[in-house]
Amino acid sequence: MSEASVAHAGISRDLRDEVVAFLYREARFLDHADYDSWLALLAEDIRYVIQASPALYRRDGGARENDIAHMDDGLADLRRRIKRFQDAAAWAEDPPTRHCHIITNIEVEATDNKDEFQVYSAFVNARGRFELEDVIMAGRREDIVRNGEDGLRLVSRRVFLTQNVLLSRNINTFL
């Protein structure tokens, strides 16, 4: 990426690299089920949405912002999900799911708030349990990342899956 294209996005190359490293670190924490470290990357006012993807015809207006979501959580909800994952009675996580998050196509843009950045990315999440239970989910994400006194924090994530019908038994993952 040329200096001109980075400057056009309103951010420095160093800041872009820092945001990219932040997303890769987040993926590593999730892959290793290091949920305490992952939660430390989230802002107190986080909004985490996995948007449902109904198959809508163009003539009907396509996807809409307020369509139903598979997940629409704040920080307390995310902590509750993690606590449930770690509970001995959580049969869907015993044995634990093996994860691999692949994050790519990362773009970072300035916003009207000098401390917040719009981040676009694409992902593939491969999950495995037992011998024959493998699930691959792919999609794109639109994030807001804030740069504060304690470093970068994820403020908002909206996930758009490529699937309009979930083929997995659950969404026991964070994308």
Side-chain angles (χ1 to χ4, degrees), residues 51-52 54 56 60-68 158 160:
Q51 194 72 45
L56 299 173
D60 296 330
R64 295 177 299 273
E65 174 85 12
N66 296 321
D67 282 340
I68 193 165
R158 186 171 292 272
F160 302 89

Side-chain angles (χ1 to χ4, degrees), residues 29-98:
F29 291 157
L30 291 172
D31 285 349
H32 295 162
D34 184 355
Y35 295 121
D36 291 335
S37 295
W38 182 68
L39 286 168
L41 299 177
L42 307 182
E44 290 291 323
D45 56 338
I46 180 77
R47 180 160 183 224
Y48 186 100
V49 177
I50 298 178
Q51 194 72 45
S53 301
L56 299 173
Y57 292 102
R58 287 186 183 110
R59 69 176 178 259
D60 296 330
R64 295 177 299 273
E65 174 85 12
N66 296 321
D67 282 340
I68 193 165
H70 296 292
M71 183 186 298
D72 188 346
D73 289 354
L75 188 58
D77 302 310
L78 295 170
R79 285 184 175 137
R80 212 173 3 262
R81 283 181 189 276
I82 288 169
K83 186 175 179 183
R84 198 189 75 216
F85 287 169
Q86 297 170 331
D87 190 290
W91 63 268
E93 280 302 308
D94 192 18
T97 301
R98 297 175 306 278

